[in-house]
Amino acid sequence: MHDIADLEARGVVGVFLASTEFADAATAQSRALGLAVPHVLVPHPIQDRTDDELRRLAREAYAAVLAAVTAG
């Protein structure tokens, strides 16, 4: 989150991806930093997924990531 805040301060559009398990933490960090950080959440968990499952998650998240970096 701090990296995204740093990028935004430099004029670079940033978006972070996390699993749904971290939705509340992302909201809390955004508030603490005073920055509405765009983010995309994918289904939890991540670490036990196969390569094919991860590729599917990436394909499914692509449109949301693109929308987040081009909004504004």
Side-chain angles (χ1 to χ4, degrees):
M1 185 73 68
H2 289 272
D3 292 339
I4 299 297
D6 181 59
L7 289 171
E8 292 283 337
R10 297 169 188 249
V12 177
V13 176
V15 61
F16 78 89
L17 281 82
S19 71
T20 53
E21 183 71 18
F22 299 99
D24 291 341
T27 300
Q29 272 285 50
S30 289
R31 285 187 187 138
L33 293 171
L35 183 64
V37 177
H39 60 278
V40 175
L41 301 174
V42 297
H44 189 79
I46 296 296
Q47 71 273 11
D48 296 333
R49 299 204 184 251
T50 66
D51 289 350
D52 286 339
E53 290 171 325
L54 290 172
R55 281 188 278 275
R56 180 182 51 79
L57 286 177
R59 282 191 301 273
E60 291 172 357
Y62 179 79
V65 171
L66 184 60
V69 297
T70 59

